[in-house]
Each structure stands twice: as structure tokens, then as C-alpha cells.
Amino acid sequence: MQPQASIIDSGSTNRPGLRVTLDATGDNVALEPRDGPKQTIKLPRKLCEQFMSDLQSAAPLNALPANHCLKSASFGSRLYLEFNGLRSPDISCPVQADSRTATLKKEATEILNAVQTR
């Protein structure tokens, strides 16, 4: 079985949260919206392979540095990654000083955008 990772967008008052669980193949990507039923879709293999490769290179996720930024109490959301039983800090701030964190945030955002257009 391929290693899996999750991208967790906490959502906010006006936008539901979402958990996306995937592996490098992109064949069985699980979408778990906070306000709806679980779905399974397929994503491009290249996108998933690169994300999983970068996750492995950046491990352990709980040791990643993340910038902190001000967020609205009701409209602010958080973005986390889970891999190998570890969770990243919130990586949703616009600027990430650590290049690994910035790369993972960019790729996670691309994946979230891809699943929301399906």
C-alpha cells in the first residue's frame, strides 16, 4: 500500500472545511467536506507524486517552521498537512520563510484548487 497524506483546510464561518487524503498515484483521492458526504476522485499523477516526494523530503512535518500571521476570528482558516502520523503547523499564512514550507503550501493549494473544480 502506498503512503498517504492529508491536506486539511479548516474552513471558516462562510466556507466549509475540507480534508483531502491522497497517495502518489492520485487514483483514489478521498474528499471529506465538513458539510457533505465523502467522495473519491482522481487527480493527475504528476501533481500527487511531486507533493508526496516533497512531503518525504520535508519530514518530519511537526518540525517545519511556519510563519504566524493575524487572522480574523470568524473568517480566518488554517491549513495543515498530515503524513506518517505527524501534523504540520498551520501553513496558511501568505508568506513562508522556509522554502520547504512554502513549496508544500503551494502544492497543497494547487491540490485543493484542483479538487474544488471537480
Side-chain angles (χ1 to χ4, degrees):
M1 185 169 168
Q2 293 254 352
Q4 293 188 320
S6 292
I7 302 167
I8 300 106
D9 177 349
S10 69
S12 63
T13 302
N14 62 343
R15 193 175 52 80
L18 176 68
R19 173 186 284 267
V20 178
T21 303
L22 63 130
D23 64 20
T25 69
D27 288 340
N28 295 302
V29 178
L31 307 179
E32 299 176 67
R34 189 170 58 190
D35 67 345
K38 184 176 178 178
Q39 302 172 25
T40 302
I41 65 165
K42 185 173 181 165
L43 286 177
R45 178 182 283 267
K46 184 176 178 182
L47 179 64
C48 295
E49 282 178 340
Q50 186 63 54
F51 181 65
M52 294 300 290
S53 174
D54 289 338
L55 275 174
Q56 290 173 351
S57 296
L61 290 184
N62 63 336
L64 283 175
N67 292 356
H68 299 283
C69 54
L70 293 175
K71 296 181 185 191
S72 165
S74 58
F75 296 110
S77 65
R78 290 169 175 47
L79 181 63
Y80 301 102
L81 307 175
E82 291 180 350
F83 180 64
N84 282 340
L86 298 174
R87 187 178 208 176
S88 73
D90 176 14
I91 62 169
S92 66
C93 291
V95 177
Q96 295 295 329
D98 181 76
S99 63
R100 298 167 304 162
T101 307
T103 297
L104 289 171
K105 178 189 175 198
K106 177 183 169 289
E107 292 170 351
T109 301
E110 288 173 6
I111 291 168
L112 287 170
N113 289 339
V115 301
Q116 291 171 359
T117 60
R118 294 186 185 254

